[in-house]
Amino acid sequence: MRALVVDPTAPQAVRVAEVDEPVPGPRQVLLEVNHAALNRGDLNDARSGRLPPGAVLGSDAAGVVLRGDDSGPAPGTRVVAMASGAFAERIVADIGSLAVVPSTVDLAQAAALPVAGVAALRALRAAGPLIGRRVLITGAAGGVGRFAVQLASIGGAHVVAVVGSAARGEGLKELGADEVRVGLDGIDSPVDVVVENVGGPLLVAAWQLLAPGGSLQSVGWTSGEPAVFPPYSTIGPAKSLISFLNDGEVASELSTLVRLVQERELQVEIGWRGPLEKFADAAEALSDRRINGKAVLDV
C-alpha cells in the first residue's frame, strides 16, 4: 500500500513509498483511510529523528472500518481516529482512540479533529469552568487555536484571540472571539486562562497577563524560540503553567467533537487540501503560516 514515510534526504524529510499493510491486534481495527490531516508535530517527527527513516508518518485519519476486533465498530462503519502511521492507505487504530462519524459529517472535516481538536478540548477542560472567565488563545489562527476559540466561546468565556498578523485574524470573530489582537500589546486586563500555542517570548508575556489563580496551558511551541522569564516572574500570587501532551484514549473527546460538528456548533476550517503526493506543498504552506485552519490530505 502507499504511505508517507520518513526520509531525511527527501523534501520536507518525507516521501511516498510502498509499505506492508498493517495487521490489527486485540482491541484494534483496520481502516481504509479516506483523509488524513497534517499537524506541525508530524513535521517535527519527520525532521527531528523522533521517527526512524522508513517509519510511516501521521496521527489524524478518517475512513471506513475494514475488519478487526469484534468489540469495535463493524466493517463498513465510518470513523475518525487518532493513530500512529495515519498517512497511509490503510492503518490500524485502537478502539479507544476512534469515534463513529455519522453520515451527516464529512469525513474530510472529521479527519481534522483528532490532534488539534482533542488538544483544544483537553486544554480548556483542564482549566476548569469557563463561564464568565477571560480566555486568551495564542496562535489562534492555527488548527488548535481555531478549535480553542470556538470551544471556549461555547463554554461561555470571553475569548481573546491573539494572532501574528491582521490577515491571520480574519474570520475569528465569526468563530466566537470577542477580541482579536495582533500580539499582546494593548491587552491590559488580566486573563484567567491561556491556551498557549507559540512558546518563546509570547509565552512569557502571556504568563505576565495571568490573574491570580489562573492557568497557562502550554500546548504548542511553533516559534521554536526559548522562553526566558525575568527574575521574580514566578514569585507572587499562585498561578500555574501546565505542560501538555495528547496521550491515552481519546474516544470520548472525539465523540464530543464529532457531535458538535454534527450539531453545527463547531466549524472545521480546511485551509489546504490535496492528494497524498502533494504533502511537501502542504508542509511548506503550514511551516510558512500560510494556512488558516487545517491541512487535509486526500488518500
Side-chain angles (χ1 to χ4, degrees):
M1 65 175 189
R2 289 182 311 140
L4 289 175
V5 303
V6 176
D7 181 351
T9 68
Q12 303 294 340
V14 177
R15 65 179 173 86
V16 178
E18 291 288 325
V19 301
D20 292 335
E21 180 177 296
V23 178
R27 292 194 55 76
Q28 291 183 326
V29 295
L30 180 70
L31 305 182
E32 180 179 66
V33 178
N34 290 46
H35 311 280
L38 176 62
N39 299 285
R40 285 185 176 272
D42 300 321
L43 304 182
N44 292 338
D45 285 342
R47 298 166 181 166
S48 66
R50 282 202 296 259
L51 290 180
V56 181
L57 203 63
S59 300
D60 292 355
V64 177
V65 174
L66 295 176
R67 67 177 187 275
D69 195 300
D70 290 341
S71 61
T77 305
R78 304 164 83 244
V79 297
V80 57
M82 185 185 294
S84 59
F87 296 162
E89 291 181 310
R90 290 172 294 283
I91 66 169
V92 162
D94 295 335
I95 291 170
S97 294
L98 56 79
V100 173
V101 179
S103 59
T104 51
V105 174
D106 180 37
L107 281 178
Q109 292 189 324
L113 293 173
V115 168
V118 170
L121 182 58
R122 284 183 167 179
L124 290 167
R125 282 179 169 173
L130 299 177
I131 294 177
R133 301 175 80 192
R134 285 173 58 83
V135 175
L136 175 71
I137 299 165
T138 65
V144 175
R146 295 181 99 83
F147 285 133
V149 165
Q150 295 179 77
L151 293 170
S153 179
I154 290 169
H158 178 94
V159 181
V160 182
V162 177
V163 294
S165 67
R168 296 280 284 165
E170 293 179 3
L172 288 176
K173 284 199 171 181
E174 289 76 8
L175 293 180
D178 297 284
E179 304 175 39
V180 179
R181 303 275 188 162
V182 178
L184 298 181
D185 291 345
I187 301 176
D188 48 15
S189 298
V191 298
D192 304 295
V193 177
V194 178
V195 178
E196 216 294 299
N197 294 292
V198 178
L202 198 63
L203 184 154
V204 176
W207 171 259
Q208 306 292 350
L209 286 172
L210 264 185
S215 68
L216 185 152
Q217 308 288 325
S218 180
V219 178
W221 209 288
T222 60
S223 70
E225 300 175 356
V228 181
F229 288 83
Y232 302 104
S233 293
T234 56
I235 306 300
K239 53 187 183 179
S240 304
L241 191 160
I242 302 172
S243 58
F244 185 88
L245 179 66
N246 261 340
D247 61 354
E249 295 189 348
V250 297
S252 175
E253 289 93 341
L254 282 177
S255 294
T256 295
L257 294 166
V258 170
R259 175 180 57 79
L260 290 172
V261 174
Q262 183 182 25
E263 295 172 355
R264 301 184 185 278
E265 292 190 59
L266 183 69
Q267 295 183 42
V268 179
E269 296 183 293
I270 298 175
W272 185 98
R273 184 170 173 180
L276 202 65
E277 292 78 8
K278 294 291 186 180
F279 171 86
D281 293 344
E284 182 179 350
L286 189 64
S287 297
D288 293 344
R289 293 182 172 85
R290 288 187 279 114
I291 297 176
N292 284 352
K294 296 291 295 179
V296 172
L297 299 164
D298 297 326
V299 181

